[in-house]
């Protein structure tokens, strides 16, 4: 068997995403009061958005939806909320049917 060097003492420091083990979930209100670039930046940072929609979803999400989709993110309306995930984070809808 070949030898390899594994230093577990420093492994935690080298892991991305810190010690929380996952993405941060941001709860917010989608009412037009937040600059769309803030939502885009949050998703680019790997955050999951759960936004309470107050108004016309198409109009309110127009400033960021296409860009998030184009980069591989996912947007899904669930009841009165818009759930937005970064690339690589799926939304499992199997239990909704």
């Amino acid at each position: 068997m070949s030898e390899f060097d594994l230093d577990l003492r420093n492994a935690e420091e080298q892991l991305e995403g810190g010690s929380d083990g996952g993405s941060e979930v941001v709860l917010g209100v989608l009412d037009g009061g937040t600059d769309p670039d803030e939502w885009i930046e949050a998703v680019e940072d790997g955050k999951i958005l759960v936004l309470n929609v107050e108004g016309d979803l198409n109009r309110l999400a127009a400033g960021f939806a296409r860009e998030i989709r184009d980069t591989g993110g996912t947007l899904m309306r669930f009841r009165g909320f818009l759930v937005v995930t970064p690339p690589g984070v799926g939304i499992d809808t199997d239990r909704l049917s």
Side-chain angles (χ1 to χ4, degrees):
M1 207 175 221
S2 65
E3 290 185 34
F4 58 93
D5 185 22
L6 180 61
D7 182 4
L8 295 177
R9 293 175 294 195
N10 297 320
E12 186 175 320
E13 294 174 6
Q14 296 177 14
L15 292 174
E16 288 188 66
S19 60
D20 63 356
S23 296
E24 182 178 353
V25 176
V26 175
L27 303 178
V29 178
L30 184 61
D31 62 0
T34 301
D35 186 336
D37 289 335
E38 287 186 42
W39 300 131
I40 294 168
E41 289 173 19
V43 173
E44 286 175 344
D45 289 342
K47 296 177 180 165
I48 297 167
L49 307 178
V50 180
L51 306 174
N52 184 33
V53 179
E54 293 186 355
D56 178 53
L57 175 61
N58 291 328
R59 184 182 60 78
L60 294 169
F64 64 90
R66 182 177 307 271
E67 186 166 340
I68 288 173
R69 243 191 220 119
D70 288 349
T71 60
T74 303
L75 296 96
M76 184 183 137
R77 183 164 198 165
F78 178 69
R79 299 190 180 199
F81 297 92
L82 179 64
V83 180
V84 185
T85 62
V89 178
I91 299 174
D92 183 351
T93 60
D94 291 344
R95 295 182 186 191
L96 294 179
S97 55

